[in-house]
Structures are given as C-alpha cells and as structure tokens.
C-alpha cells in the first residue's frame, strides 16, 4: 500500500468515526498531494518520497502558523494548527536525532573531502538525499556550517 493510499484509507476511517480533526487534516493533506500531482506541464503519480516531501511541507506550515497564532495571542487557532501538525507527523518518518545528523554530515564531509565554509553547497548536495523528510533544511545547514568551521 502506498502512502497516498494509506492517507485515503485513513480518511475514510476518520470520516466513519466522525473524527473531525483527522478528517480535516487528511483532506488537506490529500488536496496538497493531488495539487502536486497536477502541478507542472503534465500530471504524474507521486512516489512515496514525493508524498513525504509534500507532507513535510504541510507539517512545517502548521508549525509556522501555530507560532504566528500563538504570538498574536490566538491560542485556540494555535492549538488547532498544532493538533493538525501532530496528525501529519504520524505519516512522516521519524526525525533524525542530533547525533544521527552529526554523523551523516561528518560522513558527507569525509566523502566529499570538503574543507572550509566555501564547500557548504557541495556537502549539502551530498547530505540532503540522506535526510529527506527527516530533518529541516535550516537544521541541516546549521550543522554543516558548524562542522565546516571546525
């Protein structure tokens, strides 16, 4: 069963059990996936990796919206965004720990022979496929910068 099929199956189950939060969140996620499928010149079927990227992007939107609502004093909306983010997290791979990320970056630096801050792009290109969907780009870039500065 593909990830998209799992989302569709879980949406049906959520609708039957009248779980409004899960229904709303899964509908939003499936809409984002379908929009991605028809984006561009031709429609295409997304792989599980592509669906994970879409879900990661949606989860990030929820975190940012929750922070914005929280800063504006709108706790009810912030809570709703956090709840939706928690539902999406269930469909994403487990995030990398700091130790795992440090090891991946160190391996990429050793493999590319990179040295100094100018090699950041080269290291990022090697690391990004390995962390896809498991760590935010800003966190990865900060670790690469830290290790290249040593």
């Amino acid at each position: 069963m593909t990830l998209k099929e799992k989302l569709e199956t879980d949406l049906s189950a959520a609708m039957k059990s009248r779980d409004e939060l899960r229904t709303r969140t899964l509908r939003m996620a499936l809409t984002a996936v379908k929009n991605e499928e028809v984006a561009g010149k031709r429609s295409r079927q997304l792989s599980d990796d592509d669906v994970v990227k879409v879900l990661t992007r949606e989860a990030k939107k929820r975190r940012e919206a929750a922070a914005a609502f929280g800063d504006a004093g709108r706790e009810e909306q912030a809570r709703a965004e956090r709840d939706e983010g928690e539902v999406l997290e269930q469909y994403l791979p487990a995030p990398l720990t700091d130790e795992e990320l440090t090891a991946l970056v160190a391996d990429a630096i050793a493999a590319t022979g990179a040295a100094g801050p100018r090699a950041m792009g080269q290291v990022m290109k090697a690391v990004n496929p390995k962390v896809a969907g498991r760590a935010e780009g800003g966190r990865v870039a900060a670790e690469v910068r830290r290790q290249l500065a040593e």
Side-chain angles (χ1 to χ4, degrees):
M1 175 182 282
T2 66
L3 184 54
K4 182 180 173 187
E5 290 168 344
K6 180 166 177 37
L7 289 169
E8 291 167 342
T9 303
D10 289 355
L11 173 61
S12 294
M15 290 169 72
K16 288 177 185 171
S17 67
R18 301 195 187 282
D19 183 344
E20 287 183 31
L21 168 67
R22 198 166 196 76
T23 300
R24 180 179 68 234
T25 304
L26 293 176
R27 276 188 176 147
M28 172 274 310
L30 282 167
T31 299
V33 168
K34 288 175 182 165
N35 286 342
E36 187 73 20
E37 286 179 335
V38 298
K41 295 186 186 286
R42 292 187 302 161
S43 64
R44 61 198 166 97
Q45 191 71 20
L46 295 182
S47 68
D48 278 355
D49 289 340
D50 293 331
V51 173
V52 166
K53 287 178 187 172
V54 172
L55 294 179
T56 301
R57 191 169 53 231
E58 292 299 318
K60 182 178 179 186
K61 286 180 189 176
R62 298 297 162 278
R63 283 191 301 275
E64 290 171 351
F69 282 132
D71 292 345
R74 299 173 69 184
E75 278 307 312
E76 190 172 317
Q77 288 92 342
R79 171 97 308 307
E81 293 291 337
R82 281 192 294 273
D83 291 344
E84 287 181 8
E86 289 171 10
V87 171
L88 290 174
E89 295 292 330
Q90 297 170 6
Y91 297 94
L92 294 172
L96 288 172
T97 64
D98 290 337
E99 295 79 26
E100 291 171 324
L101 181 59
T102 301
L104 280 174
V105 171
D107 291 346
I109 290 173
T112 60
R118 289 179 173 229
M120 185 164 173
Q122 183 182 11
V123 176
M124 288 295 290
K125 196 180 294 184
V127 171
N128 277 335
K130 295 176 185 169
V131 300
R134 298 179 58 205
E136 284 188 22
R139 185 172 158 224
V140 176
E143 180 61 26
V144 170
R145 229 180 272 117
R146 185 186 72 74
Q147 289 193 28
L148 286 175
E150 291 177 354

